[in-house]
Amino acid sequence: DVQLQASGGGSVQAGGSLTLSCAASGFTFDDYEVGWFRRASGQDHEALLCINFNDGNIYQADSVKGRFTISSDNAKKTVYLQMNNLKPEDTAVYYCAADRYAVVPMVQRGTRWRGTSPPTEYWGQGTLVTVSS
């Protein structure tokens, strides 16, 4: 069974930092692109960053460059999201998702979409981040 379990969310003051983790199981990183996405209540889903594990390349949406970074521990099958200088508008559910081909182009374009089902092969339920003023 494929799992993409995000954790590490919580409440933080504006300007603070959080590190989120996505523990993956049931698939091999080498064959997938794994990324971080978010959705604020009542708003669009947004693609943020990803790692293409086929070649190790990292991609970032323009909206989070300079504040968010993605990394991984392949031995632990875990992907991390380091978020710095958080802003109230960053409040959202953050989740990770994986696909063989779709994640990289979504991140490159800063793709946003509406609906409940991400257009990826696998996705997790995410973890809530709340940033207060």
mmCIF file of all heavy atoms in Angstrom, residues 91-120:
data_model
loop_
_atom_site.group_PDB
_atom_site.id
_atom_site.type_symbol
_atom_site.label_atom_id
_atom_site.label_comp_id
_atom_site.label_asym_id
_atom_site.label_seq_id
_atom_site.Cartn_x
_atom_site.Cartn_y
_atom_site.Cartn_z
ATOM 1 N N THR A 91 -0.626 30.007 5.421
ATOM 2 C CA THR A 91 -1.529 29.114 6.139
ATOM 3 C C THR A 91 -2.244 28.203 5.150
ATOM 4 O O THR A 91 -2.907 28.669 4.228
ATOM 5 C CB THR A 91 -2.547 29.919 6.950
ATOM 6 O OG1 THR A 91 -1.862 30.652 7.971
ATOM 7 C CG2 THR A 91 -3.573 29.000 7.604
ATOM 8 N N ALA A 92 -2.108 26.896 5.339
ATOM 9 C CA ALA A 92 -2.671 25.931 4.402
ATOM 10 C C ALA A 92 -2.405 24.527 4.916
ATOM 11 O O ALA A 92 -1.615 24.325 5.844
ATOM 12 C CB ALA A 92 -2.050 26.089 3.012
ATOM 13 N N VAL A 93 -3.067 23.564 4.293
ATOM 14 C CA VAL A 93 -2.698 22.168 4.460
ATOM 15 C C VAL A 93 -1.596 21.850 3.460
ATOM 16 O O VAL A 93 -1.765 22.064 2.257
ATOM 17 C CB VAL A 93 -3.902 21.234 4.248
ATOM 18 C CG1 VAL A 93 -3.452 19.774 4.244
ATOM 19 C CG2 VAL A 93 -4.941 21.455 5.332
ATOM 20 N N TYR A 94 -0.483 21.353 3.944
ATOM 21 C CA TYR A 94 0.652 20.990 3.102
ATOM 22 C C TYR A 94 0.693 19.476 2.968
ATOM 23 O O TYR A 94 0.625 18.759 3.962
ATOM 24 C CB TYR A 94 1.957 21.510 3.711
ATOM 25 C CG TYR A 94 2.123 22.999 3.604
ATOM 26 C CD1 TYR A 94 1.381 23.855 4.406
ATOM 27 C CD2 TYR A 94 3.019 23.555 2.692
ATOM 28 C CE1 TYR A 94 1.513 25.229 4.299
ATOM 29 C CE2 TYR A 94 3.166 24.930 2.584
ATOM 30 C CZ TYR A 94 2.415 25.758 3.382
ATOM 31 O OH TYR A 94 2.557 27.119 3.278
ATOM 32 N N TYR A 95 0.808 19.004 1.756
ATOM 33 C CA TYR A 95 0.841 17.576 1.537
ATOM 34 C C TYR A 95 1.876 17.242 0.469
ATOM 35 O O TYR A 95 2.286 18.097 -0.312
ATOM 36 C CB TYR A 95 -0.543 17.037 1.137
ATOM 37 C CG TYR A 95 -1.088 17.564 -0.166
ATOM 38 C CD1 TYR A 95 -0.896 16.870 -1.354
ATOM 39 C CD2 TYR A 95 -1.819 18.747 -0.209
ATOM 40 C CE1 TYR A 95 -1.408 17.348 -2.551
ATOM 41 C CE2 TYR A 95 -2.329 19.234 -1.395
ATOM 42 C CZ TYR A 95 -2.127 18.532 -2.565
ATOM 43 O OH TYR A 95 -2.638 18.997 -3.752
ATOM 44 N N CYS A 96 2.298 16.002 0.452
ATOM 45 C CA CYS A 96 3.218 15.558 -0.579
ATOM 46 C C CYS A 96 2.505 14.621 -1.538
ATOM 47 O O CYS A 96 1.526 13.963 -1.189
ATOM 48 C CB CYS A 96 4.463 14.887 0.022
ATOM 49 S SG CYS A 96 4.146 13.595 1.229
ATOM 50 N N ALA A 97 3.002 14.594 -2.754
ATOM 51 C CA ALA A 97 2.404 13.789 -3.799
ATOM 52 C C ALA A 97 3.502 13.266 -4.713
ATOM 53 O O ALA A 97 4.588 13.845 -4.799
ATOM 54 C CB ALA A 97 1.385 14.599 -4.603
ATOM 55 N N ALA A 98 3.211 12.180 -5.394
ATOM 56 C CA ALA A 98 4.200 11.546 -6.256
ATOM 57 C C ALA A 98 3.575 11.113 -7.570
ATOM 58 O O ALA A 98 2.419 10.697 -7.620
ATOM 59 C CB ALA A 98 4.820 10.332 -5.560
ATOM 60 N N ASP A 99 4.355 11.232 -8.620
ATOM 61 C CA ASP A 99 3.940 10.784 -9.940
ATOM 62 C C ASP A 99 5.187 10.491 -10.749
ATOM 63 O O ASP A 99 6.244 11.084 -10.502
ATOM 64 C CB ASP A 99 3.078 11.847 -10.636
ATOM 65 C CG ASP A 99 2.336 11.296 -11.838
ATOM 66 O OD1 ASP A 99 2.926 11.277 -12.941
ATOM 67 O OD2 ASP A 99 1.171 10.893 -11.669
ATOM 68 N N ARG A 100 5.057 9.621 -11.721
ATOM 69 C CA ARG A 100 6.205 9.286 -12.563
ATOM 70 C C ARG A 100 6.645 10.449 -13.441
ATOM 71 O O ARG A 100 7.838 10.591 -13.732
ATOM 72 C CB ARG A 100 5.872 8.074 -13.435
ATOM 73 C CG ARG A 100 5.655 6.792 -12.645
ATOM 74 C CD ARG A 100 5.305 5.640 -13.566
ATOM 75 N NE ARG A 100 4.921 4.458 -12.807
ATOM 76 C CZ ARG A 100 5.765 3.527 -12.397
ATOM 77 N NH1 ARG A 100 7.059 3.639 -12.683
ATOM 78 N NH2 ARG A 100 5.335 2.486 -11.713
ATOM 79 N N TYR A 101 5.696 11.308 -13.865
ATOM 80 C CA TYR A 101 6.017 12.345 -14.837
ATOM 81 C C TYR A 101 5.404 13.714 -14.547
ATOM 82 O O TYR A 101 5.921 14.718 -15.031
ATOM 83 C CB TYR A 101 5.561 11.917 -16.239
ATOM 84 C CG TYR A 101 6.045 10.563 -16.656
ATOM 85 C CD1 TYR A 101 5.185 9.476 -16.692
ATOM 86 C CD2 TYR A 101 7.379 10.374 -17.023
ATOM 87 C CE1 TYR A 101 5.632 8.219 -17.079
ATOM 88 C CE2 TYR A 101 7.829 9.131 -17.404
ATOM 89 C CZ TYR A 101 6.958 8.048 -17.436
ATOM 90 O OH TYR A 101 7.400 6.809 -17.815
ATOM 91 N N ALA A 102 4.328 13.786 -13.782
ATOM 92 C CA ALA A 102 3.507 14.991 -13.747
ATOM 93 C C ALA A 102 3.979 16.067 -12.789
ATOM 94 O O ALA A 102 3.655 17.241 -12.981
ATOM 95 C CB ALA A 102 2.057 14.622 -13.411
ATOM 96 N N VAL A 103 4.728 15.727 -11.754
ATOM 97 C CA VAL A 103 5.017 16.689 -10.698
ATOM 98 C C VAL A 103 5.971 17.784 -11.155
ATOM 99 O O VAL A 103 5.746 18.964 -10.881
ATOM 100 C CB VAL A 103 5.563 15.983 -9.443
ATOM 101 C CG1 VAL A 103 5.971 17.011 -8.391
ATOM 102 C CG2 VAL A 103 4.516 15.029 -8.876
ATOM 103 N N VAL A 104 7.042 17.435 -11.848
ATOM 104 C CA VAL A 104 8.023 18.432 -12.275
ATOM 105 C C VAL A 104 7.386 19.531 -13.122
ATOM 106 O O VAL A 104 7.567 20.715 -12.828
ATOM 107 C CB VAL A 104 9.206 17.772 -13.008
ATOM 108 C CG1 VAL A 104 10.043 18.818 -13.749
ATOM 109 C CG2 VAL A 104 10.082 17.016 -12.020
ATOM 110 N N PRO A 105 6.639 19.214 -14.176
ATOM 111 C CA PRO A 105 6.045 20.309 -14.955
ATOM 112 C C PRO A 105 5.052 21.141 -14.150
ATOM 113 O O PRO A 105 4.927 22.343 -14.395
ATOM 114 C CB PRO A 105 5.364 19.591 -16.129
ATOM 115 C CG PRO A 105 5.263 18.158 -15.723
ATOM 116 C CD PRO A 105 6.426 17.914 -14.826
ATOM 117 N N MET A 106 4.348 20.532 -13.200
ATOM 118 C CA MET A 106 3.440 21.302 -12.364
ATOM 119 C C MET A 106 4.195 22.328 -11.528
ATOM 120 O O MET A 106 3.773 23.484 -11.413
ATOM 121 C CB MET A 106 2.631 20.370 -11.461
ATOM 122 C CG MET A 106 1.648 19.485 -12.204
ATOM 123 S SD MET A 106 0.843 18.266 -11.130
ATOM 124 C CE MET A 106 -0.112 19.337 -10.081
ATOM 125 N N VAL A 107 5.302 21.926 -10.934
ATOM 126 C CA VAL A 107 6.100 22.841 -10.122
ATOM 127 C C VAL A 107 6.736 23.919 -10.981
ATOM 128 O O VAL A 107 6.762 25.095 -10.601
ATOM 129 C CB VAL A 107 7.163 22.063 -9.331
ATOM 130 C CG1 VAL A 107 8.148 23.021 -8.659
ATOM 131 C CG2 VAL A 107 6.507 21.180 -8.279
ATOM 132 N N GLN A 108 7.262 23.553 -12.137
ATOM 133 C CA GLN A 108 7.890 24.522 -13.032
ATOM 134 C C GLN A 108 6.921 25.622 -13.437
ATOM 135 O O GLN A 108 7.316 26.779 -13.597
ATOM 136 C CB GLN A 108 8.422 23.827 -14.279
ATOM 137 C CG GLN A 108 9.661 22.979 -14.036
ATOM 138 C CD GLN A 108 10.135 22.289 -15.292
ATOM 139 O OE1 GLN A 108 9.356 21.644 -15.985
ATOM 140 N NE2 GLN A 108 11.414 22.435 -15.596
ATOM 141 N N ARG A 109 5.664 25.280 -13.604
ATOM 142 C CA ARG A 109 4.648 26.238 -14.016
ATOM 143 C C ARG A 109 3.947 26.906 -12.835
ATOM 144 O O ARG A 109 3.140 27.806 -13.054
ATOM 145 C CB ARG A 109 3.613 25.556 -14.904
ATOM 146 C CG ARG A 109 4.178 24.935 -16.166
ATOM 147 C CD ARG A 109 3.064 24.380 -17.043
ATOM 148 N NE ARG A 109 3.587 23.716 -18.223
ATOM 149 C CZ ARG A 109 3.618 22.403 -18.400
ATOM 150 N NH1 ARG A 109 3.137 21.591 -17.470
ATOM 151 N NH2 ARG A 109 4.118 21.889 -19.507
ATOM 152 N N GLY A 110 4.242 26.470 -11.608
ATOM 153 C CA GLY A 110 3.502 26.969 -10.460
ATOM 154 C C GLY A 110 2.029 26.648 -10.560
ATOM 155 O O GLY A 110 1.178 27.473 -10.206
ATOM 156 N N THR A 111 1.715 25.457 -11.023
ATOM 157 C CA THR A 111 0.344 25.078 -11.333
ATOM 158 C C THR A 111 -0.574 25.165 -10.122
ATOM 159 O O THR A 111 -0.225 24.733 -9.021
ATOM 160 C CB THR A 111 0.309 23.656 -11.904
ATOM 161 O OG1 THR A 111 1.065 23.615 -13.115
ATOM 162 C CG2 THR A 111 -1.118 23.214 -12.197
ATOM 163 N N ARG A 112 -1.754 25.725 -10.351
ATOM 164 C CA ARG A 112 -2.816 25.758 -9.361
ATOM 165 C C ARG A 112 -4.061 25.129 -9.956
ATOM 166 O O ARG A 112 -4.332 25.280 -11.146
ATOM 167 C CB ARG A 112 -3.110 27.188 -8.920
ATOM 168 C CG ARG A 112 -1.892 27.924 -8.368
ATOM 169 C CD ARG A 112 -2.271 29.257 -7.793
ATOM 170 N NE ARG A 112 -1.094 29.974 -7.306
ATOM 171 C CZ ARG A 112 -1.116 30.913 -6.384
ATOM 172 N NH1 ARG A 112 -2.277 31.266 -5.823
ATOM 173 N NH2 ARG A 112 0.010 31.513 -6.019
ATOM 174 N N TRP A 113 -4.809 24.436 -9.123
ATOM 175 C CA TRP A 113 -6.049 23.827 -9.588
ATOM 176 C C TRP A 113 -7.041 23.732 -8.445
ATOM 177 O O TRP A 113 -6.680 23.762 -7.278
ATOM 178 C CB TRP A 113 -5.789 22.447 -10.195
ATOM 179 C CG TRP A 113 -5.516 21.364 -9.183
ATOM 180 C CD1 TRP A 113 -6.421 20.483 -8.655
ATOM 181 C CD2 TRP A 113 -4.257 21.065 -8.568
ATOM 182 N NE1 TRP A 113 -5.812 19.654 -7.758
ATOM 183 C CE2 TRP A 113 -4.482 19.983 -7.684
ATOM 184 C CE3 TRP A 113 -2.970 21.603 -8.684
ATOM 185 C CZ2 TRP A 113 -3.456 19.428 -6.913
ATOM 186 C CZ3 TRP A 113 -1.955 21.047 -7.910
ATOM 187 C CH2 TRP A 113 -2.204 19.978 -7.054
ATOM 188 N N ARG A 114 -8.294 23.579 -8.820
ATOM 189 C CA ARG A 114 -9.360 23.401 -7.853
ATOM 190 C C ARG A 114 -9.876 21.975 -7.907
ATOM 191 O O ARG A 114 -9.763 21.293 -8.925
ATOM 192 C CB ARG A 114 -10.498 24.394 -8.117
ATOM 193 C CG ARG A 114 -10.081 25.837 -7.931
ATOM 194 C CD ARG A 114 -11.237 26.792 -8.069
ATOM 195 N NE ARG A 114 -10.800 28.165 -7.823
ATOM 196 C CZ ARG A 114 -11.590 29.209 -7.841
ATOM 197 N NH1 ARG A 114 -12.885 29.063 -8.110
ATOM 198 N NH2 ARG A 114 -11.094 30.415 -7.607
ATOM 199 N N GLY A 115 -10.421 21.540 -6.802
ATOM 200 C CA GLY A 115 -10.924 20.188 -6.698
ATOM 201 C C GLY A 115 -10.303 19.474 -5.519
ATOM 202 O O GLY A 115 -9.416 20.005 -4.836
ATOM 203 N N THR A 116 -10.761 18.262 -5.283
ATOM 204 C CA THR A 116 -10.317 17.504 -4.119
ATOM 205 C C THR A 116 -9.248 16.473 -4.434
ATOM 206 O O THR A 116 -8.566 16.000 -3.520
ATOM 207 C CB THR A 116 -11.499 16.798 -3.453
ATOM 208 O OG1 THR A 116 -12.137 15.917 -4.387
ATOM 209 C CG2 THR A 116 -12.514 17.817 -2.952
ATOM 210 N N SER A 117 -9.083 16.113 -5.696
ATOM 211 C CA SER A 117 -8.148 15.067 -6.078
ATOM 212 C C SER A 117 -6.973 15.649 -6.853
ATOM 213 O O SER A 117 -7.154 16.124 -7.971
ATOM 214 C CB SER A 117 -8.835 14.002 -6.921
ATOM 215 O OG SER A 117 -9.888 13.383 -6.205
ATOM 216 N N PRO A 118 -5.770 15.604 -6.292
ATOM 217 C CA PRO A 118 -4.602 16.075 -7.039
ATOM 218 C C PRO A 118 -4.370 15.240 -8.291
ATOM 219 O O PRO A 118 -4.605 14.029 -8.281
ATOM 220 C CB PRO A 118 -3.452 15.905 -6.041
ATOM 221 C CG PRO A 118 -4.105 15.889 -4.697
ATOM 222 C CD PRO A 118 -5.427 15.214 -4.919
ATOM 223 N N PRO A 119 -3.908 15.869 -9.368
ATOM 224 C CA PRO A 119 -3.674 15.150 -10.622
ATOM 225 C C PRO A 119 -2.345 14.409 -10.625
ATOM 226 O O PRO A 119 -1.527 14.575 -11.525
ATOM 227 C CB PRO A 119 -3.707 16.273 -11.657
ATOM 228 C CG PRO A 119 -3.156 17.453 -10.928
ATOM 229 C CD PRO A 119 -3.663 17.325 -9.516
ATOM 230 N N THR A 120 -2.139 13.590 -9.609
ATOM 231 C CA THR A 120 -0.924 12.801 -9.474
ATOM 232 C C THR A 120 -1.295 11.364 -9.171
ATOM 233 O O THR A 120 -2.406 11.067 -8.723
ATOM 234 C CB THR A 120 -0.018 13.344 -8.355
ATOM 235 O OG1 THR A 120 -0.759 13.397 -7.127
ATOM 236 C CG2 THR A 120 0.484 14.742 -8.693
#
